[in-house]
């Protein structure tokens, strides 16, 4: 699990990477999307987009929502919200990850969905940066054909 602390209202730390909200610098953000600028560490200056969407699920089939799923995706983007490509032409996007929360846990007070949303957002930034570094390393290996 990643831990973070707020250093100010706008800047947070993930491991040795810091970032700040950059929504004002990106056009075309869709509902559930947030833009963040990396301010130190790997990819300093780059824009990362994280999107968190919710999906409600009735697992028992009784007509009541039993589980909330947070679907999180990330990408390295341009200021117009288009996804950047690696030197080899691959989109710098990380695959979706789904995090499930039982409604029972919410009603018991053991899970706060807004806190979990903040956590999955932060985790997505870390995953996106790991993937971007790995993609660059992969493309540095000569191709066999």
């Amino acid at each position: 699990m990643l831990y973070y602390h707020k250093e100010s209202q706008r800047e947070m730390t993930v491991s040795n990477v810091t970032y700040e909200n950059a929504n004002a610098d990106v056009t075309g953000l869709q509902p559930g999307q947030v833009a963040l600028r990396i301010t130190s560490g790997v990819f300093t200056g780059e824009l990362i987009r994280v999107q968190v969407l919710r999906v409600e699920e009735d697992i028992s089939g009784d007509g009541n929502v039993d589980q909330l799923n947070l679907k999180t995706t990330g990408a390295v983007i341009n200021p117009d919200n288009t996804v950047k490509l690696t030197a080899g032409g691959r989109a710098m996007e990380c695959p979706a990850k789904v995090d499930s929360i039982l409604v029972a846990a919410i009603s018991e007070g053991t899970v706060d969905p807004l806190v979990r949303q903040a956590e999955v957002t932060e985790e997505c930034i870390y995953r996106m940066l790991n993937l971007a570094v790995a993609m660059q390393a992969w493309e540095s290996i000569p191709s066999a054909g």
Side-chain angles (χ1 to χ4, degrees):
M1 173 153 222
L2 299 173
Y3 297 95
Y4 75 94
H5 60 89
K6 274 195 166 194
E7 294 188 12
S8 71
Q9 240 181 349
R10 293 180 36 119
E11 190 169 312
M12 292 160 266
T13 303
V14 178
S15 185
N16 63 344
V17 176
T18 58
Y19 57 93
E20 63 187 7
N21 186 295
N23 285 347
D25 300 330
V26 175
T27 59
L29 289 173
Q30 301 298 310
Q33 292 182 341
V34 62
L36 303 152
R37 182 178 314 284
I38 305 301
T39 56
S40 71
V42 179
F43 288 95
T44 296
E46 291 290 344
L47 294 168
I48 304 289
R49 179 187 67 218
V50 176
Q51 182 172 33
V52 180
L53 298 173
R54 77 166 201 269
V55 178
E56 298 174 352
E57 211 170 330
D58 174 9
I59 302 215
S60 63
D62 64 358
N64 294 315
V65 175
D66 302 304
Q67 182 172 294
L68 304 177
N69 298 313
L70 297 175
K71 180 181 176 185
T72 309
T73 57
V76 178
I77 59 169
N78 295 303
D80 66 354
N81 200 19
T82 57
V83 177
K84 283 192 171 186
L85 303 178
T86 65
R90 288 182 172 77
M92 295 181 73
E93 295 179 285
C94 66
K97 181 178 178 189
V98 176
D99 186 76
S100 299
I101 305 169
L102 293 175
V103 173
I106 295 169
S107 66
E108 292 167 358
T110 56
V111 175
D112 180 331
L114 295 178
V115 169
R116 192 61 198 130
Q117 178 187 12
E119 291 169 347
V120 299
T121 297
E122 185 172 49
E123 291 165 4
C124 186
I125 295 164
Y126 186 72
R127 282 195 331 273
M128 186 62 248
L129 293 176
N130 280 339
L131 181 62
V133 168
M135 289 169 72
Q136 286 181 341
W138 174 255
E139 289 181 355
S140 72
I141 301 169
S143 174

